[in-house]
Every structure is written in C-alpha cells, then in structure tokens.
Amino acid sequence: MRAQLSLIILFLSLLISAQDENILRAVHPEFDTITVSFEYYEPPYLDTSGEGFQTLMTCTLLSFGGHARVASAFMETRIPVMGMDTARYEQFSKDFKPISAAKSLLSDAEEHAIFIINEAHHEPRHRVFTRSLLQGLYERGYRHFGLETLVHRYRNVDSLLKAGHPLSLNDGFYTHDPQIAALVNEASEIGFSVFGYEQSGTGSPKLRELGQMRNIMRYRTAHPEGKLLLHIG
C-alpha cells in the first residue's frame, strides 16, 4: 500500500484546514510558503484516513523542518488538552513540589535494569532530554540503547556507527529529525550499543507492539550483559 501526505504550510499561529483532507494550511503575515511531502512504501499500521493520524504526521513533519513551536501549537488546536480547575490545582500544588526530573530519574535508574522513556513524535525537546541523560545512565551501568525508529533487519546500525559511518536516511523515519540523529550518534560515542526494534507493515497496532516486544526480547537474550535503555513513542 502506498499513501502520500502533502502539506502546504503558510506559517502563522492561526492554523486552518483546507478543503482537500491531504492538505493543511496556516496563514503567515508575510505569506511565506513551504511545501513538505512524504510517501509511504510499506503498509502503515495506523488508520491513515483518521484525523488523528493526519495531525500527528503534520506535526512530525513540521518538527523535522525545525518548526517545533508551530507543530506544538497545531497539535493543541487538534487534540484537546486536559485542564485542571482551580480547586484541584491548589490541592495538587500542596501535595506535590517540583524537583529536577533528570536528577530523580538517574537516581531511580540505579535500582533498575531497564529504563524506558516515552516521547511525543512531534517534540524534538523530548529527544534532547533523553540525550541529556545518556552519560549519567552509562555511568550507572546502561550499555544498550534501543529505538523503535531504527530498522532492525536490514542494516547493523551499531556496527556502522562504531565504524564511523553516519546514519543514513534509510536507517529509520524519525532519524530525519536532527535531534534524534544527534541522540543516536552521541549514544554511540559514549559507548552504548545501539539497536532498532521496529516492526512495521503488520497492519495492526497490536501486532506491531507484539512484534516490537519480541524484537527487544530477542536482542536482550543475545545481549544479557549491561542495562537496557529504550526510547519509545
């Protein structure tokens, strides 16, 4: 199955839908125009006809082009954000206090063998945060770094990285984002063994998740030494 998503973006904080469901437009005071397109060569595991998928792909492609703030604003216009009333907020602020996320997570990581961090695919800042944890996790015994974005069957990404070869655009979809490419490269430079566990073309979210789980288990069975870091989405 092959599908194509085309985006014509006229940048502004106000984003509107065009008549064509495959085209999204936003208006900018200076009327600058950027066209972005992406083609699928494998059967997607998501329902590509749904508005949620269209929104996710729009925001992801915007973030690839360095427009993370526009992507965030667009996501908020399409997917409702759960709020908190005043009474609940006051109770929440009494019961909890802000602390350093990195410090707390690294402390907890010492007690576990597997560390999983989740991202929003349109948010490169989440990849920057994971990158900031890499050295601390390595010092705490983590040696293997898995990402669903990397193709897991066709190329030995870890061997290529250790040989000094940069990532190719054929090594995964989300590695088109400079921040996740930097995340993978830095992990390799620190000493992590980087592996992919992606399972695409299943036609079902459930089958994809099961396939990815099996890929991780196979890798872990073959590499029992050291702790495991997974960056998922």
Side-chain angles (χ1 to χ4, degrees), residues 1-4 38-49 53 57 153-154 173 198-209 212:
M1 175 179 178
R2 176 175 173 173
Q4 178 169 322
F38 176 72
E39 295 182 353
Y40 291 93
Y41 293 94
E42 291 185 276
Y45 70 94
L46 290 174
D47 177 9
T48 57
S49 65
F53 177 83
M57 287 304 303
R153 293 180 181 174
Y154 309 113
F173 174 59
E198 182 61 75
Q199 186 71 44
S200 60
T202 63
S204 160
K206 181 178 179 180
L207 291 177
R208 177 174 178 258
E209 298 296 334
Q212 293 191 147

Side-chain angles (χ1 to χ4, degrees), residues 11 34 36 59-68 176-178:
F11 290 104
I34 294 179
V36 184
C59 295
T60 298
L61 292 171
L62 282 170
S63 72
F64 285 178
H67 304 288
H176 288 64
D177 172 38

Side-chain angles (χ1 to χ4, degrees), residues 97-109:
K97 62 179 181 180
I99 61 173
S100 167
K103 183 178 179 180
S104 176
L105 289 172
L106 289 174
S107 176
D108 290 342

Side-chain angles (χ1 to χ4, degrees), residues 131 134 138 143 145 147 161-162 181-194 229:
R131 188 179 172 190
L134 289 176
Y138 192 83
R143 294 294 182 267
F145 183 30
L147 302 92
L161 290 169
K162 285 182 168 53
L183 170 64
V184 173
N185 287 329
E186 184 165 333
S188 180
E189 290 172 2
I190 288 173
F192 282 92
S193 293
V194 180
L229 166 63

Side-chain angles (χ1 to χ4, degrees), residues 114-227:
I114 299 177
F115 185 95
I116 302 175
I117 189 162
N118 190 41
E119 72 162 22
H121 290 319
H122 69 286
E123 262 295 359
R125 291 176 295 183
H126 294 174
R127 295 151 190 176
V128 173
F129 180 70
T130 298
R131 188 179 172 190
S132 74
L133 299 175
L134 289 176
Q135 186 63 50
L137 290 170
Y138 192 83
E139 292 169 358
R140 288 161 175 78
Y142 288 82
R143 294 294 182 267
H144 305 279
F145 183 30
L147 302 92
E148 65 180 10
T149 187
L150 299 176
V151 293
H152 110 273
R153 293 180 181 174
Y154 309 113
R155 283 162 58 94
N156 188 331
V157 174
D158 189 62
S159 294
L160 291 171
L161 290 169
K162 285 182 168 53
H165 297 287
L167 286 174
S168 162
L169 293 180
N170 295 322
D171 288 325
F173 174 59
Y174 293 107
T175 48
H176 288 64
D177 172 38
Q179 293 300 339
I180 205 163
L183 170 64
V184 173
N185 287 329
E186 184 165 333
S188 180
E189 290 172 2
I190 288 173
F192 282 92
S193 293
V194 180
F195 70 97
Y197 59 87
E198 182 61 75
Q199 186 71 44
S200 60
T202 63
S204 160
K206 181 178 179 180
L207 291 177
R208 177 174 178 258
E209 298 296 334
L210 288 172
Q212 293 191 147
M213 178 191 69
R214 293 188 184 102
N215 292 337
I216 293 170
M217 291 175 65
R218 290 189 191 103
Y219 180 88
R220 189 58 173 163
T221 300
H223 303 86
E225 75 293 340
K227 297 182 179 182

Side-chain angles (χ1 to χ4, degrees), residues 78-99:
R78 292 302 187 96
I79 299 179
V81 178
M82 293 184 64
M84 186 178 293
D85 58 53
T86 302
R88 289 177 62 200
Y89 176 77
E90 290 178 350
Q91 186 62 45
F92 179 84
S93 62
K94 290 178 182 178
D95 294 340
F96 299 92
K97 62 179 181 180
I99 61 173

